[in-house]
């Protein structure tokens, strides 16, 4: 995938019509207390305010929408996830009457698993991390003759780009935006929306210090696998960067920031205290990165997406009590 294959403005606008059949644009607010913490103007895009509590739902809707337009809806889809992508695919599969199996690693979020099952998903637990779950999903898809839904694909980007399209249109004077990187769909969609709108915002990538495949791959100029030990940012717990995403991101991100679990937990507490919104670990990573760089942000308009709020209650209670589990 190259820059030329990123969704254009017309593609994103068409994707928005598909997304808005299920829910309306999510809000973005300028939060005063968060601004005081940063020492500058701070806007938050609330992707926690949609039907599955995370931005991924947009991609699932457009992925299935494109299959339906082509008359190519399968009888069954299979995919792998740490939770939010699986909810997205489960939601869209249910809407189109397609059977759905999702593979998650052992020890996955109890509440994300429950949410997927509630959407009619057949859940399979396999492996110790996302990469192992993904490989098993590929095996099951081949064995059953089912359609394997990837975690990174142009038809997913079309939908995910709609949230950045909303955000950048709502805050045309935004100067810096922090973009969490899991497997890459959210970050690549930020690039697509920026290009489509001709927005001048600087995009800063955010990775977990305990899942550094993208940081290591950026440094090497090619995909480098890295161990995953984060206990809190499961949405960023990727062991192997996607080569297509890497190629798209390297020319367009201003720089990368690595955030540790302690910083992410502090950002989760700050978001709850200042806005009374619940952020999962990956959902708070953008604000954690902004806090890390706040001395360089004075006088600038900063945008941070709260990409999801799907954190298990027990873990969130530990975070609020400042008892965050250490990385493994």
């Amino acid at each position: 995938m190259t820059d030329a294959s990123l969704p254009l403005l017309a593609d994103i606008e068409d994707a928005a019509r598909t997304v808005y059949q299920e829910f309306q644009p999510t809000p973005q607010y300028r939060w005063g207390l968060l601004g005081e913490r940063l020492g500058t103007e701070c806007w938050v895009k609330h992707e926690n305010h949609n039907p599955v509590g995370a931005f991924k739902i947009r991609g699932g809707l457009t992925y299935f929408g494109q299959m339906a337009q082509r008359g190519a809806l399968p009888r069954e889809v299979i995919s792998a996830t740490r939770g939010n992508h699986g909810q997205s695919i489960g939601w869209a599969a249910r809407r189109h009457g397609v059977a759905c199996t999702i593979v998650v690693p052992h020890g996955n979020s109890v509440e994300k698993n429950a949410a997927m099952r509630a959407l009619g998903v057949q859940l399979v637990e396999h492996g110790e991390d996302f990469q192992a779950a993904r490989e098993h999903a590929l095996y099951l898809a081949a064995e059953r003759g089912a359609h394997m839904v990837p975690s990174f694909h142009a038809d997913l980007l079309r939908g995910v780009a709609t949230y950045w399209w909303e955000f950048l249109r709502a805050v045309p004077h935004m100067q810096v935006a922090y973009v969490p990187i899991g497997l890459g769909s959210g970050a690549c969609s930020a690039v697509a929306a920026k290009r489509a709108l001709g927005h001048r915002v600087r995009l800063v990538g955010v990775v977990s210090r305990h899942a550094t495949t993208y940081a290591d791959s950026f440094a090497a100029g090619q995909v480098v696998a890295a161990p995953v030990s984060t206990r809190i940012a499961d949405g960023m717990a990727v062991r192997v960067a996607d080569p297509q995403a890497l190629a798209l991101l390297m020319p367009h991100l201003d720089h990368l920031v690595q955030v540790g679990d302690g910083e992410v937990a502090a950002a989760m507490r700050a978001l709850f205290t200042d806005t009374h919104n619940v952020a999962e670990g990956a959902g708070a990573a953008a604000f954690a990165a902004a806090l890390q760089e706040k001395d360089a942000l004075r006088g600038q308009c900063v945008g941070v997406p709260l990409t999801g709020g799907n954190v298990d209650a027990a873990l969130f209670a530990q975070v609020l009590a400042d008892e965050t589990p250490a990385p493994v």
Side-chain angles (χ1 to χ4, degrees):
M1 188 180 294
T2 64
D3 281 10
S5 60
L6 284 171
L8 303 175
L9 182 59
D11 300 320
I12 299 171
E13 291 172 342
D14 180 66
R17 288 187 283 272
T18 298
V19 169
Y20 297 160
Q21 291 176 26
E22 297 296 303
F23 61 94
Q24 292 303 298
T26 56
Q28 48 277 313
Y29 299 124
R30 179 181 176 178
W31 290 99
L33 289 173
L34 294 180
E36 287 183 5
R37 288 183 190 268
L38 282 185
T40 196
E41 182 178 348
C42 180
W43 287 79
V44 177
K45 178 63 166 170
H46 285 283
E47 284 300 284
N48 57 314
H49 291 181
N50 70 44
V52 303
F55 76 93
K56 295 280 192 176
I57 186 174
R58 298 171 182 264
L61 289 169
T62 52
Y63 188 91
F64 274 76
Q66 291 296 300
M67 286 197 296
Q69 282 187 28
R70 295 190 294 267
L73 282 171
R75 60 175 178 77
E76 180 186 13
V77 296
I78 295 178
S79 195
T81 190
R82 289 303 303 263
N84 290 335
H85 172 71
Q87 289 186 72
S88 166
I89 301 308
W91 183 285
R94 183 182 66 176
R95 186 180 192 280
H96 288 274
V98 174
C100 180
T101 296
I102 299 292
V103 184
V104 300
H106 292 291
N108 198 53
S109 162
V110 173
E111 292 173 26
K112 287 179 180 176
N113 286 355
M116 285 184 279
R117 289 190 177 103
L119 291 169
V121 165
Q122 178 187 358
L123 205 71
V124 175
E125 295 181 90
H126 181 90
E128 300 306 315
D129 63 9
F130 168 76
Q131 185 65 24
R134 176 181 175 275
E135 290 166 4
H136 188 62
L138 286 164
Y139 166 78
L140 289 179
E143 182 182 54
R144 298 182 187 180
H147 178 85
M148 175 69 186
V149 181
S151 297
F152 186 86
H153 189 277
D155 290 342
L156 295 171
L157 298 188
R158 292 169 66 98
V160 175
T162 61
Y163 101 75
W164 281 105
W165 172 75
E166 292 170 6
F167 199 11
L168 296 179
R169 287 199 308 159
V171 193
H173 61 292
M174 189 187 304
Q175 293 163 281
V176 183
Y178 286 86
V179 186
I181 304 175
L183 199 59
S185 65
C188 290
S189 295
V191 171
K194 173 186 172 176
R195 284 164 51 89
L197 293 169
H199 203 291
R200 299 181 65 180
V201 66
R202 267 193 307 126
L203 300 176
V204 179
V206 184
V207 301
S208 171
R209 190 173 296 130
H210 316 296
T212 60
T213 180
Y214 273 96
D216 297 345
S217 300
F218 264 65
Q222 61 184 12
V223 172
V224 177
V228 171
S229 60
T230 177
R231 296 280 295 279
I232 191 170
D234 58 345
M236 304 166 80
V238 173
R239 177 156 49 96
V240 182
D242 185 281
Q244 296 182 88
L246 181 68
L248 286 171
L249 292 175
M250 287 184 65
H252 295 291
L253 296 185
D254 186 80
H255 63 280
L256 292 180
V257 179
Q258 296 186 36
V259 291
D261 278 5
E263 292 171 296
V264 169
M268 292 169 71
R269 289 192 293 273
L271 286 162
F272 185 75
T273 301
D274 294 354
T275 77
H276 296 105
N277 277 267
V278 174
E280 62 186 277
F287 189 64
L291 283 173
Q292 188 183 124
E293 298 198 322
K294 68 177 184 178
D295 291 343
L297 296 174
R298 304 290 180 182
Q300 299 187 66
C301 175
V302 178
V304 295
L306 199 172
T307 55
N310 298 323
V311 56
D312 284 1
L315 176 58
F316 193 56
Q318 288 182 287
V319 168
L320 292 182
D322 199 7
E323 298 172 352
T324 308
V328 293

